[in-house]
Amino acid sequence: MKLVLNLCLFLFVLVISCDKAFSLTDYQIKRFCKNEKRQLTCIKILRKKRFDLNNGKLIEIPVIPYKR
């Protein structure tokens, strides 16, 4: 019974969240690019990636290392 319940919940979550993509808002883009050397270039690149993501195109996402 527990296995069936877990399977149903997993499938429910998978169906609900499969085609949604959350992109950054303008405020989040400006806050992210605030510390960059070329701020305007950073903003332009992120806005282009957001546009591509919303239109269903694949984008490359850079990994930012965590600093302790």
Side-chain angles (χ1 to χ4, degrees), residues 17-24 50 53-57 59:
S17 64
C18 65
D19 62 345
K20 292 183 181 178
F22 299 105
S23 57
L24 296 175
R50 179 180 63 186
L53 180 66
N54 287 335
N55 287 334
K57 296 180 182 176
I59 61 170

Side-chain angles (χ1 to χ4, degrees), residues 17-60:
S17 64
C18 65
D19 62 345
K20 292 183 181 178
F22 299 105
S23 57
L24 296 175
T25 63
D26 285 334
Y27 176 74
Q28 290 172 330
I29 288 174
K30 288 179 185 176
R31 190 178 66 188
F32 181 78
C33 292
K34 182 173 60 173
N35 298 329
E36 297 291 323
K37 289 182 180 179
R38 297 180 180 181
Q39 185 176 3
L40 293 176
T41 306
C42 176
I43 291 172
K44 186 168 59 170
I45 290 170
L46 286 178
R47 283 185 178 165
K48 182 183 180 305
K49 286 184 180 184
R50 179 180 63 186
F51 179 76
D52 290 342
L53 180 66
N54 287 335
N55 287 334
K57 296 180 182 176
L58 295 176
I59 61 170
E60 184 177 325

